[in-house]
Amino acid sequence: FEVMLECLPSGVPARWVSVVLHRKHCRFRRTDIEESIEEQWQRVHKASGVRLFDGKLFRLGSCQRTLDKDGTQEVKFELGVTRFKSFLGTNMAPNWHKMSPEHLSSPLGCSALVHTSDGRVMLIKRSDKVAT
């Protein structure tokens, strides 16, 4: 993986985080890549025991951190919309490295760690019956 944005250890309060959602941050389509996406989807779909759902995802266009003179850090995310099917057929495809970044699905993964007041940590186990 690649660290795309590193913030100060103090973190960034929600009021200093902004998100811009715009179609200009969506994946560029090309006929041959769309055909490849469909072929990959069908191949994985036919695999036994694999459940697929072509849900919507946010596509990471860019992210920037700015640091003001007073030490305040602001973070801006520029997002588009993509789909799991496109992710499977671009970023997860065997030939992903031959595609230019604007053709990749590049979904934004969001995770959370819940630390409860009684000192425990909540985890979610991903099903082994979903596509990887």
Side-chain angles (χ1 to χ4, degrees):
F1 69 91
E2 173 187 350
V3 176
M4 298 183 69
L5 182 73
E6 193 168 335
C7 294
L8 297 175
S10 60
V12 181
R15 68 182 179 278
W16 298 111
V17 177
S18 64
V19 176
V20 175
L21 180 62
H22 195 278
R23 72 181 67 177
K24 70 181 178 182
H25 303 297
C26 293
R27 183 179 67 81
F28 293 163
R29 295 169 185 252
R30 210 173 71 195
T31 304
D32 60 326
I33 293 175
E34 298 308 304
E35 291 169 357
S36 175
I37 289 170
E38 186 60 36
E39 289 169 10
Q40 177 77 354
W41 181 259
Q42 293 302 324
R43 189 170 30 258
V44 173
H45 189 67
K46 289 177 184 175
S48 63
V50 176
R51 287 189 239 158
L52 294 176
F53 174 71
D54 186 24
K56 288 183 182 180
L57 305 166
F58 287 114
R59 180 182 186 273
L60 182 61
S62 70
C63 56
Q64 303 97 31
R65 178 186 70 111
T66 58
L67 190 59
D68 291 342
K69 291 177 185 177
D70 65 356
T72 304
Q73 55 183 340
E74 297 180 30
V75 176
K76 178 180 179 183
F77 292 95
E78 295 180 324
L79 306 178
V81 176
T82 190
R83 301 195 66 89
F84 182 73
K85 182 177 182 177
S86 297
F87 169 60
L88 191 65
T90 59
N91 297 72
M92 298 299 292
N95 64 337
W96 69 270
H97 59 283
K98 295 180 182 176
M99 296 181 206
S100 58
E102 66 265 10
H103 294 114
L104 295 172
S105 191
S106 301
L108 177 65
C110 297
S111 299
L113 175 79
V114 179
H115 186 217
T116 63
S117 61
D118 63 355
R120 297 178 183 246
V121 175
M122 292 175 53
L123 300 173
I124 296 173
K125 182 178 186 268
R126 184 179 167 113
S127 171
D128 58 359
K129 298 196 188 239
V130 295
T132 56

